[in-house]
Amino acid sequence: MADDGVVAVYTNNAITDATMKNPNPFSIKVGMAQMLRGGAVFEVTTVEQAKIAEEAGGCAIVVSELPPVQGAAARMADPSLIKEIKRAVSIPVIAKARVGHFVEAQILETTGVDYIDESEVLTPADEDHHINKHNFRVPFVCGCNGLGTMLMRVREGAALIRIEGDLSGSGNIAETVRNVRSVMGDMRVLTNMDDDEVFSFAKKISAPYDLVAQTKQLGRLPVVHFAAGGIVTPADAAFMMQLGCDGVFVGSEIFNSADPYKRTRAIVQAVRHYSDPHVLAEASCVLVDAMAGLNLSEDRVEQYET
């Protein structure tokens, strides 16, 4: 996208590039990200959790460190932990870098990660600029909550988009649902829009016109888009898939259950068979214990009642 003449085609047609200056041009990164489509990505903080996610059928893992002390800055995970997890599993490994911190991204690329997540969950390093992702060989993941922001991140080189909701680990999926429905609604409006109206629509959502036009032509984003935030049950995961997402990100709180393998496996099955209620019912059985600690906080409940 940053290279002149780059065209990324999401369908089964060939993905082509007019220029091949980058050893891994954007279209190749888009293809690599599409390999995760239809899967569940699990956030892990230990080697043991990474092994459970792989055994359960996760398509990839996101390496994170334990939440920092309240008030402390959240940064990228320790490279030694990332390397240890890389050696322990064979599925793709994603590592988080702070927004705008291209040096952290350089370090993560050197460790051999398969994807870099420019994560809004970490403390931002640059409040005004995101990383120029075209300068890196590995594909980037970015979180967004609206169509205009999503296409801006794609312009910067993001090959996979997370439609974000509440990432606090509360188990509240309402914000994720709201953002997913908003994005899907905007894409439906765009698809049925007259070509002459696309210019004003692109201006309205502050997105590059060429990417807006491409989204209209494809009837979907030119890159894969997952849902993230509040997804803690098989039903949650299937919900996101039926709303039109390509996959889900699941937080590390999923491993706090009595049987983390059973819960991760159930979510993987729900993503793979999201339209089969019989499989979903089977996957949802005997998982109530894992809901402890994954509900809305008392403060939020009181606020809602008020």
Side-chain angles (χ1 to χ4, degrees):
M1 297 285 175
D3 301 325
D4 293 336
V6 173
V7 177
V9 180
Y10 184 85
T11 59
N12 293 328
N13 297 326
I15 298 177
T16 60
D17 289 271
T19 58
M20 299 293 288
K21 300 175 184 177
N22 193 314
N24 270 9
F26 181 70
S27 57
I28 300 298
K29 298 174 187 176
V30 171
M32 293 170 65
Q34 287 185 30
M35 295 171 62
L36 304 181
R37 188 184 185 198
V41 179
F42 294 93
E43 183 177 11
V44 303
T45 58
T46 67
V47 175
E48 290 71 25
Q49 291 178 358
K51 291 179 178 179
I52 292 173
E54 180 180 34
E55 292 172 5
C59 67
I61 55 175
V62 181
V63 180
S64 297
E65 290 194 325
L66 294 174
V69 179
Q70 187 174 7
R75 303 180 177 88
M76 70 174 184
D78 188 330
S80 63
L81 173 63
I82 297 171
K83 291 179 180 179
E84 187 178 2
I85 290 177
K86 278 281 294 179
R87 289 191 294 266
V89 299
S90 58
I91 58 177
V93 173
I94 305 171
K96 296 179 181 180
R98 285 181 281 175
V99 170
H101 205 316
F102 54 82
V103 176
E104 281 191 351
Q106 292 168 0
I107 294 171
L108 293 174
E109 185 174 55
T110 302
T111 64
V113 296
D114 301 285
Y115 302 83
I116 296 175
D117 186 340
E118 188 176 14
S119 177
E120 291 78 9
V121 176
L122 304 183
T123 306
D126 191 327
E127 296 179 350
D128 298 317
H129 305 92
H130 279 69
I131 297 171
N132 181 358
K133 304 160 217 2
H134 294 285
N135 291 336
F136 295 82
R137 296 185 303 276
V138 299
F140 268 74
V141 181
C142 280
C144 307
N145 55 19
L147 181 59
T149 309
M150 294 165 74
L151 293 178
M152 283 299 298
R153 299 289 87 83
V154 174
R155 165 65 75 213
E156 294 166 357
L160 191 155
I161 295 295
R162 277 182 289 101
I163 304 179
E164 289 187 337
D166 179 14
L167 301 178
S168 66
S170 67
N172 180 11
I173 200 173
E175 187 176 346
T176 309
V177 172
R178 180 170 62 251
N179 292 337
V180 169
R181 285 193 178 277
S182 174
V183 169
M184 297 304 174
D186 284 345
M187 284 196 284
R188 284 193 296 271
V189 169
L190 175 61
T191 301
N192 295 308
M193 190 174 290
D194 187 81
D195 289 341
D196 294 338
E197 299 174 321
V198 176
F199 292 98
S200 58
F201 184 78
K203 183 178 180 180
K204 177 182 177 181
I205 64 174
S206 301
Y209 166 77
D210 58 330
L211 291 182
V212 175
Q214 186 179 10
T215 301
K216 171 178 167 56
Q217 180 183 8
L218 297 174
R220 56 156 295 129
L221 280 180
V223 301
V224 288
H225 55 279
F226 282 38
I231 301 170
V232 293
T233 68
D236 292 340
F239 190 13
M240 294 297 98
M241 298 298 291
Q242 289 195 30
L243 286 178
C245 295
D246 294 317
V248 298
F249 279 79
V250 183
S252 60
E253 62 271 9
I254 203 75
F255 296 100
N256 295 333
S257 62
D259 190 344
Y261 172 81
K262 185 173 183 179
R263 176 157 290 279
T264 53
R265 181 61 182 172
I267 289 179
V268 169
Q269 289 294 96
V271 171
R272 292 177 178 174
H273 306 281
Y274 63 88
S275 60
D276 189 334
H278 298 288
V279 175
L280 298 178
E282 184 68 25
S284 300
C285 290
V286 199
L287 293 175
V288 177
D289 66 295
M291 285 295 92
L294 295 180
N295 299 313
L296 295 178
S297 66
E298 293 181 2
D299 292 339
R300 292 191 177 197
V301 173
E302 292 175 359
Q303 182 179 4
Y304 176 77
E305 290 177 347
T306 301

